[in-house]
Amino acid sequence: MPNLRPVAGQQNPATSRHVICLWAPGPTSGLIFLTWRAHHHPVIKCAALPPYWAENLRLGPFHDREAESPKGQQGKRRRSTTHLEPPRAVDTTAMGALEEAHLAAAVAAACACEEDDDDLELLGGEAEPAAAAADAMEPAVRALLAGLGEDERREGLRRTPKRVAKAFRDGTRGYRQKVKDIVQGALFPEVGVDKRTGSAGGTGGQVVVRDIELFSYCESCLLPFSIQCHVGYVPSGGRVVGLSKLSRVSDVFAKRLQNPQRLANEVCGALHASIQPAGVAVALQCWHIPLPENLECKTLQGWIRTSHSSRSGVFEGETSTFWSDFLALLKLRGIDMEVDNHSASIPWCPLRSYEVPLSNGHCKKSSTNSMVSAVTSMLLSLGEDPLRKELLGTPQRYVQWLMKFRACNLDVKLNGFTLGNVSVYERPGGGTVDHGAIRSELHLPFCAQCEHHLLPFYGVVHIGYFDNGSGEGIDRSHFQALVHFYGCKLQVQERMTRQIAEAVYSVSHNGVMVVVEANHICMISRGVEKIRSNTATIAVLGQFLTDPSAKAHFLHNVLDTAGPAV
């Protein structure tokens, strides 16, 4: 059993996480990384060491030069590096590759897989319970991957359970937040021309914050849905509330399992109770992703759209002038809630149309029953009651959605698209290119499932290719079948772009260019919400590689038919 020597370390005071890098001297030297947090069991990671060494760790003596935390930085996220001095008997020149730069990189790599845990937010002093719940959710995600026919050990899926658990915890953080903590201390005196109701904005005045972008999780299917929220209130008692608090309170209730009308009611009720105004008005425009086969394009067209509202105090009543003023202020932004009111009667969740047994994981055995039980355990980890009326059938619906992206080992007939033995990355010789031979199929819709977070990404595919000389193009339905084949599975956009390009090149042989534009739900519904973000990827093969004018010609065709961005 080797005598392991500490050579470097790293610590994060904000999360009490420590990493020590141990050097194993000898003919087969290597590294062992020991990571731990307070009240957690240590985790051992090896690099170029025989496995049995990790089972027989013995720490050698070392001296730690502790790095003092900067004053005034308590509680902030930071990571300080501590170099651990090896014993004098150790010849550091024999460490070879363990020079300072390489060692720092090795320690950083060992810490990288712990980053997700470090990013767990400290919410109301519940960081440890949040981490424990996330850890309990990971086995459930592994069961879902197994039910989808995936190998959780393959590259791209190894950290998916941790990512999915973190996404769900972040997307439901509203359960661990309190409105009074947000509003408290944010009420300011602002006396207007009159001390009657509405004096803070002048007689009869109101304050409206429009276009608050939110995301929430549908309680019927666990898929995120998009929200544009508008909040108005009439101040009372000569007090106004900080404007950012209106959006923050709205986000507290959005970050829960929700349906749109209850969300509007909860935001309205919470604001009325916390800031005690003369009245509150809340208007929501919500979009729910449709079933993959009904998705029409890269925009929100084809999405299920509904509008909902809730009001209290002076906004109530059909003849309320405050409500009329509120709607008029929304119209200044092109928002007509009166026209949209009919949409409230539209069925909200498309997966509600599925027949599901009204039990969560306790029905008779089936091929998906273990997956349903896994989703039920995820709900429990989030602190939800799976037997709550609104959640009955939710695990089954979520599993039915996932099964649309199940891995399939069968060969699917792709109307002649097969990868032959040609080298798809071979650069052809130069020559005159006839731009008239370039054919395009644009705006082919798709919906795929991100394999990193098990969340949808959707958009359109544009395909340009050179005619093979026959004068006949490939029918659009063939391209749509190809896009559907590569899209309806656990995917990443970069890989899907390349796969489509290679498949088309196997038929055209002359040149292919593929552009994929997509919106990723995982980018806009978790962490730092990147609202309105859109990702474009490109793959170029054959003649398009050598002729910039051909690429420009195809991209110009795409631009000419481009619709409005999301």
Side-chain angles (χ1 to χ4, degrees):
M1 180 175 64
N3 187 19
L4 302 177
R5 311 295 177 86
V7 291
Q10 197 172 80
Q11 62 180 343
N12 186 339
T15 58
S16 301
R17 182 178 301 284
H18 303 267
V19 178
I20 287 184
C21 174
L22 304 165
W23 174 51
T28 57
S29 61
L31 296 175
I32 286 182
F33 298 99
L34 182 65
T35 71
W36 76 94
R37 286 178 59 185
H39 311 299
H40 284 68
H41 294 294
V43 178
I44 299 171
K45 303 179 184 299
C46 298
L49 287 175
Y52 67 88
W53 283 16
E55 301 172 3
N56 299 279
L57 284 177
R58 184 174 72 226
L59 301 181
F62 65 94
H63 308 284
D64 187 358
R65 295 200 307 268
E66 294 186 358
E68 295 183 359
S69 302
K71 294 183 179 180
Q73 298 296 317
Q74 287 82 359
K76 293 187 178 180
R77 291 180 180 275
R78 64 191 185 277
R79 174 173 285 118
S80 60
T81 301
T82 302
H83 294 284
L84 305 178
E85 296 180 351
R88 296 180 182 274
V90 177
D91 182 7
T92 55
T93 61
M95 295 171 64
L98 295 183
E99 56 195 20
E100 185 174 357
H102 292 115
L103 182 58
V107 175
C111 297
C113 59
E114 310 297 336
E115 288 296 324
D116 285 344
D117 287 341
D118 288 348
D119 290 338
L120 283 171
E121 296 291 341
L122 187 62
L123 298 171
E126 297 183 7
E128 293 300 334
D135 292 341
M137 197 181 296
E138 292 177 28
V141 180
R142 294 189 184 95
L144 293 178
L145 292 175
L148 292 173
E150 294 284 354
D151 180 6
E152 64 171 279
R153 297 169 297 178
R154 76 168 172 85
E155 195 65 35
L157 290 181
R158 292 177 184 174
R159 296 178 62 196
T160 292
K162 185 179 292 291
R163 294 188 189 101
V164 173
K166 181 187 174 186
F168 269 109
R169 292 294 300 176
D170 184 67
T172 57
R173 65 176 181 266
Y175 289 123
R176 303 179 296 280
Q177 294 176 314
K178 297 179 180 179
V179 172
K180 67 176 183 180
D181 295 336
I182 295 174
V183 176
Q184 190 174 24
L187 292 172
F188 309 100
E190 185 66 33
V191 179
V193 298
D194 198 314
K195 294 185 178 181
R196 292 177 297 174
T197 296
S199 62
T203 302
Q206 63 175 285
V207 181
V208 181
V209 177
R210 301 166 293 190
D211 300 327
I212 303 171
E213 301 277 3
L214 302 171
F215 266 81
S216 186
Y217 278 88
C218 173
E219 66 182 3
S220 295
C221 64
L222 298 186
L223 293 177
F225 63 92
S226 173
I227 307 161
Q228 198 166 48
C229 176
H230 319 283
V231 179
Y233 77 101
V234 175
S236 178
R239 299 186 307 170
V240 295
V241 67
L243 296 179
S244 66
K245 309 308 176 186
L246 300 179
S247 59
R248 288 186 61 189
V249 169
S250 301
D251 188 65
V252 165
F253 293 98
K255 291 300 183 286
R256 301 179 181 186
L257 302 185
Q258 281 287 10
N259 69 60
Q261 186 57 57
R262 188 172 74 246
L263 174 59
N265 294 341
E266 289 181 345
V267 172
C268 181
L271 287 174
H272 194 96
S274 59
I275 65 180
Q276 298 180 349
V280 175
V282 176
L284 303 180
Q285 297 168 288
C286 304
W287 292 265
H288 193 300
I289 192 169
L291 299 177
E293 56 268 25
N294 296 331
L295 198 63
E296 295 179 5
C297 61
K298 69 176 181 180
T299 67
L300 292 178
Q301 296 175 17
W303 283 50
I304 297 171
R305 176 182 174 179
T306 60
S307 297
H308 303 263
S309 62
S310 183
R311 37 186 167 155
S312 66
V314 297
F315 288 97
E316 295 182 303
E318 295 299 324
T319 60
S320 170
T321 58
F322 290 95
W323 177 248
S324 299
D325 292 344
F326 176 74
L327 295 179
L329 291 174
L330 294 186
K331 286 181 180 180
L332 295 179
R333 297 282 294 175
I335 303 161
D336 194 343
M337 292 297 296
E338 293 174 332
V339 172
D340 291 341
N341 275 342
H342 73 281
S343 65
S345 60
I346 299 174
W348 167 240
C349 177
L351 277 78
R352 273 282 184 183
S353 60
Y354 289 154
E355 298 262 345
V356 296
L358 294 180
S359 62
N360 288 342
H362 303 290
C363 53
K364 61 182 180 179
K365 289 186 178 180
S366 68
S367 58
T368 60
N369 195 46
S370 60
M371 298 176 69
V372 171
S373 298
V375 178
T376 302
S377 70
M378 292 169 65
L379 293 176
L380 289 170
S381 297
L382 295 174
E384 267 287 2
D385 178 9
L387 298 180
R388 178 163 66 87
K389 178 182 176 181
E390 294 82 2
L391 292 178
L392 289 177
T394 294
Q396 288 88 340
R397 296 187 193 98
Y398 184 58
V399 169
Q400 286 172 327
W401 169 270
L402 291 179
M403 291 300 287
K404 292 180 177 292
F405 305 93
R406 189 178 190 277
C408 181
N409 295 322
L410 299 177
D411 292 329
V412 178
K413 185 178 180 181
L414 293 176
N415 301 295
F417 291 106
T418 55
L419 286 177
N421 295 322
V422 296
S423 175
V424 296
Y425 297 103
E426 180 181 343
R427 286 178 176 265
T432 304
V433 176
D434 179 13
H435 290 173
I438 298 178
R439 296 182 177 272
S440 303
E441 286 295 342
L442 309 177
H443 304 289
L444 298 161
F446 78 92
C447 182
Q449 193 84 347
C450 171
E451 69 178 29
H452 296 156
H453 300 96
L454 296 188
L455 289 170
F457 67 96
Y458 63 94
V460 290
V461 178
H462 312 291
I463 300 175
Y465 64 100
F466 280 92
D467 190 347
N468 58 13
S470 64
E472 296 182 359
I474 302 172
D475 189 77
R476 181 180 176 89
S477 63
H478 296 171
F479 285 114
Q480 188 63 70
L482 180 72
V483 170
H484 180 78
F485 173 71
Y486 286 115
C488 279
K489 57 182 66 178
L490 298 190
Q491 266 288 16
V492 294
Q493 183 174 335
E494 298 87 341
R495 183 197 308 143
M496 187 181 79
T497 307
R498 172 182 56 80
Q499 290 173 333
I500 293 173
E502 291 175 349
V504 176
Y505 190 83
S506 70
V507 175
S508 71
H509 301 293
N510 293 322
V512 172
M513 186 169 177
V514 174
V515 175
V516 178
E517 299 179 88
N519 291 332
H520 290 250
I521 300 294
C522 63
M523 289 186 65
I524 54 183
S525 65
R526 51 175 290 276
V528 179
E529 297 168 357
K530 305 162 188 68
I531 303 296
R532 306 286 178 183
S533 65
N534 184 277
T535 303
T537 49
I538 186 172
V540 183
L541 302 174
Q543 288 180 269
F544 281 102
L545 281 170
T546 57
D547 188 354
S549 64
K551 289 193 290 186
H553 179 79
F554 170 67
L555 291 174
H556 185 73
N557 290 342
V558 176
L559 181 62
D560 285 345
T561 61
V566 176

